[in-house]
Amino acid sequence: MAPEFIRRKISRIAFAAAGIALGGMIAIQPVQTARAQGPVSVADLAENLADAVVNISTAQTVQGQRSVPMPEVPEGSPFQEFFEEFFNRQNRDNDQPRRVQSLGSGFVIDGKEGIIITNNHVIEGADEVTANFNDGTKLKAEILGTDEKTDLAVLKVTPETPLKDVNFGDSDKIRVGDWVMAIGNPFGLGGTVTVGIVSARNRDINSGPYDNFIQTDASINRGNSGGPLFDMEGKVVGINTAIISPSGGSIGIGFAIPAKTAMRVIEQLREFGETRRGWLGVRIQEVTDEIAESLGMDEAMGALVAGVTEDGPAAKGKVEPGDVIIKFDGSEVESMRELPRMVAETAIGKEVEVVVLRKGEEVTISVTLERLEENEVEEASADAEEQPEDQPVEKSEVLGMMLAELDDALRKQFSIDEDVTGVVVTEVIAGSSAEEKRVTAGDVIKEVAQEPVSTPADVEAEIKKLKDDGRRSALLLLANPTGDVRFVPVRIEDE
């Protein structure tokens, strides 16, 4: 046990540590009880923005559908007359046109002009569109323009006085984990505020060619579609448009169109009543790890050009099938799905620099974009090559494929178009890499490792070069019997 004077000294040190010495006196500080605190209130922000958010109600007339047909009953049955009367009456009632109503959300971006933004699917097919404001005002809305690909619509109302409006923010600056707030009309309740965070960015949910959604766990339900997603400065960074839910209610997975994507579309819809997107004129496919390895790339990135539209912008600029587009107009193309969005957002008639990787070297090409027509079909053009007629047909087995020179007999057997040239695949060996990659009999090999081939010997020679270089796969340019082309990497280990 410690001596008494040591115990007294320890007590004085502990006592002084718990207080503040004031002129030789010790001031005892009360013990603070910890209190739980939630996030900072968004009440002021919500109150300031609520008047700019509207409920969108629509009505349309739909033709009634006939009910189920009358069941067959024996002729002369006592139930025959009853059934005929009942089902005829049901069909007459159901065949009458009826009014169908739906609800959604929207927000004002120009209070003086009365411009309101919502989703296309909210007002699609509507005969009447009404904007319901926070103060109870209801105004008939005119549809200025819609865009199905981004699911956006621009409406116009005529207010007696300027409306409360909101501004778009920079959706590129938001980060995963940032707080966001949604205001909308879920299930027709109106004026509902929910808060959450940005869960993810650049989401592709296969809803259209320009998918680039912000994912949020802020509660979004049916009726929130078309409503704004705000950052904590009160700027619109997204337009709520979709949810994933097996039950139809929010499970914390909602998606919003980024403001950057929406702004250009909205500008065009306001000015022209339609979208006017840039067009490059290429058919592209994803650069997989196998394709990247076969092309000698350090990583899988960019967009592989599978075909070039004849007389299109890319063809005029000398872009070739097999090129990998790695930069467009100064921005890197990280993945295939980024390129269509980058091209669509670029002004028509603008001359842009396209950097491609061609046979291991970077090539810069100047391309002047043209306008994308909605019915534009992008196909690769196949150049006709004359086949020697006097040489015997050559056959061989390569990479799990039986190959032969393309002659008239094989062209007829596999219904191969006249303008398709190369080496025809007559059989694919079961269990081979070629079978795994869905190569089928009747496919035509046009290139191996971006080198044209016309005989099985050409294919074998190119494969040998790749093996000597230590490549593990061969990149084949295949054409189907109608001439549509695609790139397929096939493992060399099968050889």
Side-chain angles (χ1 to χ4, degrees), residues 6-60:
I6 294 179
R7 292 200 302 272
R8 289 197 300 269
K9 186 173 184 180
I10 292 174
S11 298
R12 287 196 298 272
I13 293 173
F15 189 72
I20 301 174
L22 296 173
M25 300 289 291
I26 301 297
I28 304 300
Q29 297 295 313
V31 177
Q32 298 291 329
T33 303
R35 295 182 178 179
Q37 291 185 343
V40 177
S41 172
V42 295
D44 291 340
L45 186 64
E47 183 179 5
N48 184 52
L49 298 171
D51 288 342
V53 181
V54 300
N55 301 335
I56 303 294
S57 61
T58 67
Q60 66 180 117

Side-chain angles (χ1 to χ4, degrees), residues 51 68 135 160 198 279 373 411 432 495:
D51 288 342
V68 294
D135 62 0
E160 294 181 0
V198 174
W279 177 54
E373 301 295 339
R411 196 179 291 277
S432 66
E495 180 68 352

Side-chain angles (χ1 to χ4, degrees), residues 131-268:
N132 306 283
F133 292 83
N134 197 38
D135 62 0
T137 302
K138 296 184 178 183
L139 297 175
K140 296 294 183 182
E142 172 193 358
I143 301 174
L144 293 186
T146 62
D147 179 46
E148 292 183 2
K149 287 185 170 62
T150 55
D151 195 17
L152 290 170
V154 177
L155 311 178
K156 179 178 173 57
V157 296
T158 306
E160 294 181 0
T161 58
L163 302 170
K164 169 72 176 178
D165 55 24
V166 290
N167 298 317
F168 281 109
D170 189 347
S171 56
D172 282 348
K173 290 184 178 180
I174 62 170
R175 302 165 59 200
V176 173
D178 280 347
W179 287 99
V180 286
M181 180 177 69
I183 304 180
N185 181 29
F187 300 109
L189 295 173
T192 299
V193 178
T194 55
V195 177
I197 63 169
V198 174
S199 303
R201 295 184 54 193
N202 305 316
R203 285 296 196 210
D204 183 359
I205 61 174
N206 297 315
S207 68
Y210 309 118
D211 280 13
N212 183 32
F213 291 103
I214 299 168
Q215 181 182 329
T216 180
D217 67 352
S219 184
I220 297 173
N221 290 283
R222 292 178 180 176
N224 274 106
S225 291
L229 187 70
F230 294 104
D231 62 16
M232 290 298 100
E233 295 180 356
K235 305 291 186 181
V236 179
V237 292
I239 301 172
N240 302 319
T241 190
I243 62 172
I244 290 179
S245 172
S247 64
S250 174
I251 61 171
I253 304 178
F255 301 96
I257 305 164
K260 182 179 179 181
T261 300
M263 288 171 64
R264 178 168 176 78
V265 173
I266 291 168
E267 289 174 2
Q268 293 185 349

Side-chain angles (χ1 to χ4, degrees), residues 376-397:
E376 191 69 59
V377 178
E378 299 188 1
E379 297 178 347
S381 59
D383 295 328
E385 298 177 9
E386 293 185 1
Q387 298 292 323
E389 298 179 356
D390 299 329
Q391 296 182 1
V393 175
E394 180 186 348
K395 297 182 179 180
S396 64
E397 179 185 340

Side-chain angles (χ1 to χ4, degrees), residues 3 22 27 35 66 103 137 158 284 293 333 362 403 449 457 472 488:
L22 296 173
R35 295 182 178 179
R66 289 185 176 273
L103 297 172
T137 302
T158 306
I284 58 177
E293 192 277 334
V333 181
E362 289 190 9
L403 306 180
R472 292 176 295 178
V488 176

Side-chain angles (χ1 to χ4, degrees), residues 59-135:
Q60 66 180 117
T61 302
V62 297
Q63 189 68 29
Q65 297 181 347
R66 289 185 176 273
S67 61
V68 294
M70 186 183 79
E72 294 183 7
V73 294
E75 188 70 29
S77 168
F79 294 103
Q80 183 178 16
E81 184 177 348
F82 168 78
F83 278 129
E84 286 180 350
E85 181 181 354
F86 175 79
F87 278 93
N88 286 337
R89 184 172 63 251
Q90 287 289 99
N91 285 333
R92 285 195 302 271
D93 293 341
N94 291 335
D95 199 35
Q96 298 300 315
R98 56 194 176 90
R99 298 288 284 172
V100 175
Q101 295 183 329
S102 63
L103 297 172
S105 304
F107 58 98
V108 182
I109 63 166
D110 188 332
K112 292 182 179 179
E113 295 293 326
I115 303 299
I116 297 173
I117 306 304
T118 187
N119 282 146
N120 174 64
H121 76 259
V122 169
I123 53 86
E124 189 173 17
D127 301 325
E128 297 178 5
V129 180
T130 304
N132 306 283
F133 292 83
N134 197 38
D135 62 0

